[in-house]
Amino acid sequence: MNNINLWTSSEHALSYLTKADHIPHRTEGEGVLLSQIPQNIKRILDIGTGNGRLLALLKIDRPQMESVAIDFSPTMLAAVKSRFADDTGVEIVHHNLDAPLPDLGLFDAVVSSFAIHHLNDERKFSLYTEVFHILNPGGIFCNLEHVASPTQALHEKFLKEIGTSPENEDPSNKLLDVETQLKWLQNIGFIDVDCYWKWLELALLIGVKSS
């Protein structure tokens, strides 16, 4: 089992931040995610918030919402604290996702962006289950994620598209195919489960908790 996770390293986190805004088609996936979150939402959880990019985008049209942002990278936590230094509506929580989520209350939406694929598959499933239980009825879970390609050729095509190679892959990645994750969400109890957007190894997986 791959238990490597380099995200406590400031060098690794900073290297990602320099490239994150240039990930091909990322804004397309983010746009679809934003379109699925109600603008009158009251409370949202951002899992693996990084530097708070996704949360900041969500808050543009939802300035009234209360937000909880979780991450465990010291570099990312410093970045998100700086971004929201004057925003009392954002609570920032230091938490390693390898452990069960802390008691944070209930949410109308849970979002994540390119974070959960760093967990092993057993932990992915248990985290999805935890998300289901902390959603209010009618709540939505949106996971913009790095997923596995169905073939090695497509995997190498993706790496080439993002300007890297198999030799330089992030060893923290533990990629899983879309179909397995959608089945998991359905088995956990989510409804209206689907892949709402996909480009090669980038995909937006969404499920809703029945009201």
Side-chain angles (χ1 to χ4, degrees):
M1 181 183 296
N2 173 13
N3 290 317
I4 298 172
N5 194 327
L6 302 181
W7 288 91
T8 53
S9 160
S10 60
E11 181 181 359
H12 191 76
L14 288 170
S15 174
Y16 171 78
L17 290 176
T18 62
K19 298 179 289 187
D21 290 343
H22 305 290
I23 296 173
H25 304 286
R26 177 176 185 165
T27 55
E28 295 173 13
E30 291 171 333
V32 178
L33 187 155
L34 293 172
S35 73
Q36 300 305 308
I37 305 293
Q39 291 193 6
N40 63 350
I41 198 168
K42 294 180 180 178
R43 195 160 190 260
I44 192 166
L45 172 64
D46 185 7
I47 293 175
T49 191
N51 68 352
R53 172 193 170 103
L54 180 59
L55 196 53
L57 291 172
L58 286 160
K59 288 179 70 66
I60 292 172
D61 290 328
R62 303 161 190 81
Q64 80 293 339
M65 72 180 186
E66 293 182 7
S67 314
V68 178
I70 288 179
D71 210 290
F72 85 117
S73 161
T75 303
M76 295 300 192
L77 288 167
V80 74
K81 285 177 182 176
S82 176
R83 184 190 287 268
F84 297 114
D86 300 322
D87 191 336
T88 58
V90 178
E91 178 185 357
I92 299 168
V93 177
H94 175 248
H95 179 74
N96 189 330
L97 292 174
D98 285 331
L101 292 174
D103 184 4
L104 301 168
L106 297 176
F107 296 89
D108 303 306
V110 176
V111 298
S112 187
S113 178
F114 307 124
I116 296 175
H117 68 278
H118 297 131
L119 305 175
N120 64 48
D121 291 352
E122 182 180 1
R123 179 60 192 135
K124 287 186 185 78
F125 180 84
S126 60
L127 178 58
Y128 289 164
T129 304
E130 291 164 23
V131 167
F132 181 81
H133 289 300
I134 62 175
L135 279 172
N136 284 315
I140 188 169
F141 175 43
C142 298
N143 183 20
L144 184 59
E145 186 60 300
H146 185 179
V147 300
S149 286
T151 69
Q152 182 62 26
L154 285 173
H155 177 55
E156 292 177 6
K157 177 180 176 64
F158 171 75
L159 294 177
K160 183 177 180 180
E161 291 280 354
I162 65 170
T164 189
S165 63
E167 298 78 29
N168 295 313
E169 281 191 77
D170 184 350
S172 303
N173 290 346
K174 303 168 184 66
L175 305 182
L176 184 64
D177 62 277
V178 167
E179 292 77 8
T180 296
Q181 296 186 69
L182 294 179
K183 288 178 182 177
W184 280 358
L185 294 175
Q186 292 170 335
N187 291 339
I188 288 166
F190 286 97
I191 62 170
D192 297 333
V193 172
D194 203 355
C195 177
Y196 278 53
W197 172 87
K198 189 174 186 294
W199 175 75
L200 295 177
E201 291 188 0
L202 308 184
L204 176 60
L205 313 181
I206 293 182
V208 176
K209 187 169 182 177
S210 175
S211 54

